[in-house]
Amino acid sequence: MHPIYWGSTFWTSPESQWSQPPPVQIDSAPFTATTTATTLTLTGPPSPLLGVSISKSFSADRGRGAVQIEYKITNTKQTTVSIAPWEVTRVFPRGLTFFPTGSRTTLSNGATLPTTTTAGITWFDYDATRITSDSKLIADATEGWLAHADEGVVFIKKFGDVPMAQIAPREGDVELYTNRLHTYIELENQGSYASIAPGASISWTVTWFLKRLPAGINATPGDPTLAPFVRDSIR
């Protein structure tokens, strides 16, 4: 869909510490793979710009029918770094994206990313005719989940909710992005902004679910059964 921005990846936050495209060491450089009977771990090279290296460990949670991902940021510098974890997942430009509304939502300058809020849920119903510019939504969400429904299934990302005081500068724990070329939507979630001592690491876990929507639950903004279905799925 795009020569640089595709699939799901891991970045570090805030974005003000680097400029697009992201440093290859955390995004697109080859990672070293190691496996155990239950886990695939991918380890990337150190980033000279950021002073960190990244690893990603994937394992199946068979009991819940989910995939658990543990991201680790390791400080490779001789001084402390302050940073937050950031997962960026692209999906096809259609469908309904939604998350529990928090205390703050902002849009980038000139954004055309229309949302509605009903019963404590923020809804983004993709309509290509209304999206005329590259657009970013930055939110302080609640509950620690973000979902996208399309073609009768819902993809759910579960993570720890981040208090406002622990969100990286000028960022959000939930962010959405879509572009004027209508090639993808980014479902973005971030962890807490933290200081990492030289040689130390921080870990952050995200769990993915993919569920078929039962009959009677519709992927439409404000459907009163959709958010409860997500909450039940990730308990």
Side-chain angles (χ1 to χ4, degrees), residues 63-194:
R64 295 196 295 168
V67 173
Q68 184 167 290
I69 310 169
E70 181 186 12
Y71 296 104
K72 183 179 290 186
I73 304 174
T74 300
N75 183 357
T76 58
K77 296 174 64 175
Q78 300 301 311
T79 56
T80 297
V81 298
S82 295
I83 212 160
W86 184 2
E87 184 183 67
V88 181
T89 305
R90 288 96 183 189
V91 296
F92 197 78
R94 65 186 182 203
L96 178 68
T97 307
F98 55 104
F99 60 88
T101 306
S103 61
R104 181 196 69 179
T105 300
T106 60
L107 291 169
S108 57
N109 291 335
T112 54
L113 196 160
T115 62
T116 56
T117 301
T118 306
I121 301 294
T122 297
W123 310 90
F124 170 46
D125 192 14
Y126 192 90
D127 180 353
T129 64
R130 301 182 67 185
I131 298 167
T132 57
S133 65
D134 297 344
S135 302
K136 185 71 175 279
L137 178 148
I138 299 173
D140 163 40
T142 62
E143 299 186 32
W145 60 264
L146 168 64
H148 180 81
D150 184 32
E151 298 290 307
V153 297
V154 58
F155 170 53
I156 311 163
K157 306 171 79 174
K158 182 180 186 300
F159 45 92
D161 183 39
V162 182
M164 272 285 293
Q166 296 177 22
I167 294 176
R170 297 183 295 281
E171 301 284 354
D173 56 349
V174 166
E175 301 185 356
L176 305 179
Y177 174 84
T178 191
N179 61 10
R180 67 184 185 278
L181 299 179
H182 311 295
T183 49
Y184 59 89
I185 305 168
E186 284 183 346
L187 313 178
E188 308 177 17
N189 42 298
Q190 295 193 13
S192 296
Y193 185 61

